[in-house]
């Protein structure tokens, strides 16, 4: 009932030429994958060219970040309005790298989500604990905090435009993915939390993807969990063959 969603977060990788090459290859191989939402999130500099490459295909365009205002004197920032203009359907917000290196808080994440929803772009909201927090038993407190802050004043209709990406920080780029049991446990906690904050229907409909060292080798076990609706993929999204395998595993769910 929930359609799986696989998003590739290319982070600060790929020139324009490399982005065209990768998106062209993905479009060619994935053209008939009809039962999964596939999102490519190249760097800002390549959005325009990737948009053109995947036009009229089953691949959707996403950005990795945005500013929270629509326009104005904010040197160097990119607004959701500009992303919409480029054809972006999704935007990642609150990625742990942005929280860690750029001081992104729940409050800023919430502001970005509100502007994205107003403009008509689907936010992918990243949440998750770091290693110290996990080891000191604070995982669920952090998840509560990220959800309550990020979703403040978001209606139940708006919520359904959002995908939550559970990304334990200790699993990102480390080669150490959360086990399906660890990820599944947190996904179920998130769904319960959404049920409390909204209602049962919202909790049932909300898509929750897992992120953190997802590979073609571990996706099949992760995606088997009934509460894991897909993946946000970093390193393994940079090569066509590994990303294709991940998408195909998810489309068999
Ligand atoms: P990774 O990154 O797959 O390279 O661990 C995931 C992410 O940061 O979204």
């Amino acid at each position: 009932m929930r359609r799986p969603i696989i998003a590739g977060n290319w982070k600060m990788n790929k020139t324009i030429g490399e982005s065209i090459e990768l998106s062209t290859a993905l479009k060619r191989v994935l053209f008939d994958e009809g039962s999964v939402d596939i999102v490519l999130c190249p760097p800002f500099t390549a959005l325009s060219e990737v948009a053109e490459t995947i036009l009229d295909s089953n691949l959707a365009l996403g950005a990795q970040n945005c500013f929270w205002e629509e326009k104005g004197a904010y040197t160097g920032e990119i607004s959701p309005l500009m992303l919409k203009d480029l054809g972006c359907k999704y935007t990642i917000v609150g990625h742990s790298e942005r929280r860690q290196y750029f001081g992104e808080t729940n409050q800023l994440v919430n502001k970005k989500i509100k502007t994205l929803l107003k403009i008509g772009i689907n936010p992918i909201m990243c949440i998750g604990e770091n290693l110290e927090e996990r080891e000191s038993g604070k995982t669920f407190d952090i998840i509560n905090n990220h959800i309550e802050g990020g979703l403040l004043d978001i209606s139940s209709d708006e919520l359904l435009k959002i995908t939550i990406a559970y990304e334990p920080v200790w699993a990102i780029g480390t080669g150490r993915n959360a086990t399906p049991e660890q990820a599944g446990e947190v996904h179920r906690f998130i769904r319960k939390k959404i049920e409390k904050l909204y209602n049962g229907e919202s909790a049932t409909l909300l898509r929750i993807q897992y992120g953190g060292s997802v590979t073609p080798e571990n996706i099949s076990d992760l995606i088997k969990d009934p509460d894991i609706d897909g993946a946000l993929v970093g390193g393994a999204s940079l090569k066509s063959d590994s990303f294709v395998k991940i998408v195909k595993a998810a489309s068999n769910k």
Side-chain angles (χ1 to χ4, degrees):
M1 126 219 63
R2 289 185 301 267
R3 192 175 151 86
I5 174 168
I6 301 290
N9 174 10
W10 299 1
K11 307 193 180 180
M12 199 174 72
N13 295 291
K14 305 281 178 200
T15 60
I16 294 174
E18 290 165 345
S19 299
I20 295 173
E21 202 179 309
L22 178 56
S23 51
T24 304
L26 292 172
K27 178 179 156 178
R28 195 170 48 234
V29 185
L30 293 173
F31 72 96
D32 64 351
E33 291 301 331
S35 53
V36 54
D37 285 342
I38 309 164
V39 187
L40 307 185
C41 304
F44 286 133
T45 46
L47 280 172
S48 178
E49 284 78 6
V50 173
E52 209 169 296
T53 306
I54 64 177
L55 198 72
D56 296 327
S57 79
N58 55 336
L59 308 181
L61 190 67
Q64 299 172 17
N65 180 35
C66 67
F67 194 61
W68 57 81
E69 295 289 348
E70 289 177 37
K71 59 174 150 176
Y74 302 103
T75 303
E77 291 299 326
I78 307 281
S79 99
L81 210 54
M82 296 165 181
L83 297 176
K84 178 87 177 171
D85 190 38
L86 279 165
C88 283
K89 291 214 175 83
Y90 296 86
T91 295
I92 300 169
V93 286
H95 191 281
S96 67
E97 285 149 17
R98 298 220 50 93
R99 293 182 193 257
Q100 183 180 349
Y101 304 126
F102 304 97
E104 201 150 303
T105 60
N106 287 331
Q107 199 194 3
L108 295 187
V109 170
N110 182 247
K111 283 169 86 163
K112 291 180 180 193
I113 287 178
K114 284 178 178 156
T115 313
L116 286 166
L117 290 168
K118 180 171 170 227
I119 301 297
I121 296 179
N122 303 314
I124 297 176
M125 179 176 91
C126 301
I127 62 174
E129 81 288 358
N130 63 31
L131 189 58
E132 194 197 324
E133 289 157 350
R134 172 159 282 258
E135 287 180 340
S136 57
K138 295 201 192 108
T139 298
F140 296 131
D141 293 341
I142 298 295
I143 298 296
N144 270 332
N145 174 271
H146 285 176
I147 291 181
E148 284 168 17
L151 298 181
L152 191 72
D153 297 328
I154 301 293
S155 72
S156 51
D157 283 349
E158 289 172 324
L159 179 73
L160 298 183
K161 305 264 192 295
I162 298 174
T163 299
I164 290 187
Y166 167 55
E167 297 209 303
V169 180
W170 48 271
I172 296 176
T174 60
R176 176 187 168 194
N177 63 290
T179 63
E181 293 73 29
Q182 287 173 320
E185 181 188 30
V186 178
H187 282 229
R188 273 178 278 291
F189 179 84
I190 295 169
R191 237 179 258 294
K192 281 248 149 57
K193 177 77 185 167
I194 294 296
E195 185 173 351
K196 269 186 229 150
L197 284 178
Y198 293 87
N199 53 56
E201 196 193 359
S202 301
T204 306
L205 294 174
L206 179 77
R207 292 196 291 187
I208 308 173
Q209 28 170 217
Y210 165 78
S213 296
V214 172
T215 62
E217 288 73 40
N218 60 32
I219 183 67
S220 309
D221 285 339
L222 287 160
I223 202 77
K224 260 187 222 147
D225 186 288
D227 282 302
I228 298 181
D229 304 317
L232 180 54
V233 188
S237 72
L238 296 174
K239 289 215 175 90
S240 164
D241 58 345
S242 48
F243 191 66
V244 165
K245 283 181 189 152
I246 292 170
V247 170
K248 286 187 182 284
S251 76
N252 288 331
K253 187 174 169 100

